[in-house]
Amino acid sequence: MISKNLYFKILVRVLLLLAGALFLGWIIFDRQAYIFAIIPTLFILGVTINLIYFLNRINRRIFYFFDAIKNEDSTLRFPNNIDNKVINDLNQSLQKVNSQIQQIYLDNQKQEQYFQALLEHAATGMFTFNKKGFILHSNKLAKQLFEVDVLTHTNQLERIDPKLFQTIKEIQPSEQRLITLHLKSGIFQLLIKSNSFISDKDELMLISVHDIKNQLDEKELDSWRKLIRVMMHEIMNSITPVTSLSESLAGYFYQNGAMVSPEDINTKTIETTIRGLEVIREQGKGLINFVESYRKITRLPAPEKKIFQVKNLIDHIRILSSSFENAEHVELSCNVTPPELELHADEKQISQVLINLVKNAYQANEDNKNAKITIKATVNETGHPSILVTDNGPGISDELMDKIFVPFFTTKENGSGIGLSISRQIMQLHGGSLKMSSVPGKYTSAVLVF
């Protein structure tokens, strides 16, 4: 509607200008009445001024409208009771668009308030910053964790703790790090996770900070409980027979509270005593081996990292596995993708982990005539090197899965129960992880992520 009225108004003025120009030409060139030429000249000038005024009036309203949008001013109003129909139609159209923009602005505000409320009520400290280090958003919990009232720049973190600042400065997207933060209120174990996203063509980093000290304390306490239960079980299994046997042997040499005379000790008693002492010695050796296993767990050396080819490591494991029991009945396949994949780790320690995992897979498939074990090294979807050891054996039940990493827990007759525990510790020393998954009767999988 506005277009028709506008076109009509402009067309009328253009036609008037054309008519005035033709009349002026006719007076000057045909009649040569130069004095009368003043009248059409004034007419043309008046119509031109009117056209300019008319267009400027429209342009001013459109300019005010876009200027208000640019300044996010949604209070601009356009009256709709003007006598000029074109201006009135234009005002109505601009007012309608302005109302829609107001509604979008209000909806965005509501959504922003909603997400801000979610951010504030999150159980994790969060903040975002740009490439220049300016912190754009931060929730209440983040400021509480860092004991500050305002967070405006990542340089503030250096005054809180240099290690925290360095971690935030170096952390990469989709990475997580664990640091210890020393503040006036105490010591905090912080799990820091990062993610990047684009907002208004500006790359921002989202940081989440979670105090996991309480969770770690609970986990540590639970681990100690499990460890103590297993240790008590092993120690009691070793000590109980020794105590019982010692009492039985002592009965050969004491009667009614007094020592028997040497004349009453015969050859059979001596032979029985010797056999009993040998049993005690064997039990003692078992207990010593148990303690030695505990020392191995608690005194793992720091990894001596260097860069090496994963393919060479896998080839080494394949050659060693050929000497395992039941090797002739197991189909072992190895795959490294890409073939030039490298690791920055302690090769000896990682080799120890893989030997343990592959050996477990062989032992689990002793009764499997169609045993298949796969070792696959690749780069996972997050860009981290990973090694996967999978077998199609009997699997591990959910009940046992919760216990397999507990030191000294084992289902094997001659197992020490420290292999998986040491393997997990080695991966943790490398800043990586060891995770197990299994479906009973289908497969068991161990994943090393570096």
Side-chain angles (χ1 to χ4, degrees), residues 252-446:
Y252 292 121
F253 300 93
Y254 285 92
Q255 288 184 0
N256 300 322
M259 280 179 45
V260 299
S261 63
E263 292 79 11
D264 294 332
I265 299 173
N266 54 36
T267 304
K268 185 179 179 181
T269 300
I270 295 173
E271 290 175 352
T272 303
T273 303
I274 291 173
R275 285 198 299 271
L277 291 173
E278 286 176 350
V279 171
I280 292 173
R281 182 182 64 184
E282 290 301 318
Q283 289 295 107
K285 283 183 178 180
L287 195 55
I288 291 171
N289 291 335
F290 175 77
V291 174
E292 190 61 33
S293 298
Y294 179 77
R295 289 179 63 187
K296 287 180 182 179
I297 293 176
T298 57
R299 295 183 183 180
L300 278 176
E304 297 178 4
K305 296 183 180 180
K306 64 177 183 178
I307 296 175
F308 61 89
Q309 292 279 335
V310 176
K311 187 176 184 302
N312 295 338
L313 174 64
I314 301 297
D315 288 341
H316 174 68
I317 300 300
R318 186 176 63 231
I319 293 169
L320 281 176
S321 64
S322 62
S323 63
F324 292 163
E325 291 183 17
N326 197 38
E328 64 276 9
H329 303 298
V330 176
E331 180 185 335
L332 177 65
S333 60
C334 304
N335 179 265
V336 181
T337 306
E340 65 276 6
L341 182 64
E342 293 180 332
L343 280 179
H344 181 238
D346 188 318
E347 187 172 3
K348 291 182 180 178
Q349 289 188 351
I350 301 304
S351 176
Q352 180 183 351
V353 172
L354 283 175
I355 289 171
N356 181 58
L357 294 175
V358 174
K359 195 171 185 178
N360 284 351
Y362 271 84
Q363 291 174 346
N365 283 275
E366 287 178 346
D367 300 325
N368 186 0
K369 295 180 180 180
N370 299 310
K372 294 181 181 179
I373 298 174
T374 303
I375 305 175
K376 181 181 180 182
T378 186
V379 178
N380 65 16
E381 60 275 4
T382 60
H384 295 281
S386 61
I387 301 177
L388 183 72
V389 179
T390 306
D391 70 80
N392 63 340
I396 304 171
S397 66
D398 292 339
E399 182 183 357
L400 292 180
M401 187 64 77
D402 293 334
K403 301 175 182 178
I404 58 175
F405 289 109
V406 177
F408 311 115
F409 175 81
T410 180
T411 57
K412 303 171 190 174
E413 186 176 347
N414 298 314
S416 64
I418 65 171
L420 285 177
S421 178
I422 289 178
S423 297
R424 174 179 263 187
Q425 284 191 60
I426 288 174
M427 289 303 298
Q428 288 173 344
L429 288 173
H430 281 78
S433 63
L434 166 58
K435 296 181 180 179
M436 301 286 295
S437 62
S438 182
V439 175
K442 291 188 177 181
Y443 74 91
T444 299
S445 181

Side-chain angles (χ1 to χ4, degrees), residues 61-181:
R61 277 168 169 73
I62 296 174
F63 173 78
Y64 291 151
F65 175 71
F66 285 111
D67 194 50
I69 293 175
K70 179 181 177 181
N71 296 319
E72 297 182 356
D73 181 11
S74 59
T75 60
L76 191 65
R77 294 288 181 271
F78 298 93
N80 55 8
N81 55 356
I82 297 175
D83 294 335
N84 191 316
K85 185 170 178 57
V86 172
I87 300 298
N88 198 46
D89 290 343
L90 177 64
N91 286 350
Q92 288 180 357
S93 298
L94 291 177
Q95 186 61 41
K96 184 177 180 181
V97 174
N98 190 46
S99 298
Q100 292 176 341
I101 292 174
Q102 285 181 10
Q103 188 60 46
I104 293 171
Y105 181 70
L106 289 173
D107 291 342
N108 287 340
Q109 276 191 323
K110 289 178 182 178
Q111 191 175 34
E112 186 177 349
Q113 290 172 356
Y114 172 72
F115 286 118
Q116 189 66 31
L118 283 180
L119 193 66
E120 289 297 328
H121 287 84
T124 300
M126 295 183 183
F127 63 93
T128 59
F129 64 92
N130 59 19
K131 287 183 177 181
K132 295 181 179 179
F134 289 101
I135 296 177
L136 307 179
H137 302 283
S138 61
N139 68 352
K140 185 178 179 181
L141 189 56
K143 288 178 274 193
Q144 286 179 348
L145 279 173
F146 300 145
E147 298 182 354
V148 293
D149 296 326
V150 179
L151 275 175
T152 57
H153 200 280
T154 53
N155 287 341
Q156 287 179 260
L157 305 178
E158 189 170 16
R159 295 193 293 270
I160 298 170
D161 190 304
K163 189 177 180 182
L164 172 65
F165 171 72
Q166 199 65 28
T167 300
I168 298 298
K169 185 179 178 182
E170 296 175 353
I171 197 166
Q172 298 298 314
S174 303
E175 186 181 0
Q176 64 179 35
R177 296 192 183 186
L178 183 65
I179 69 166
T180 303
L181 187 63

Side-chain angles (χ1 to χ4, degrees), residues 12-26:
V12 168
R13 286 165 173 78
V14 170
L15 290 174
L16 288 173
L17 283 174
L18 181 61
L22 291 173
F23 183 63
L24 178 62
W26 179 74

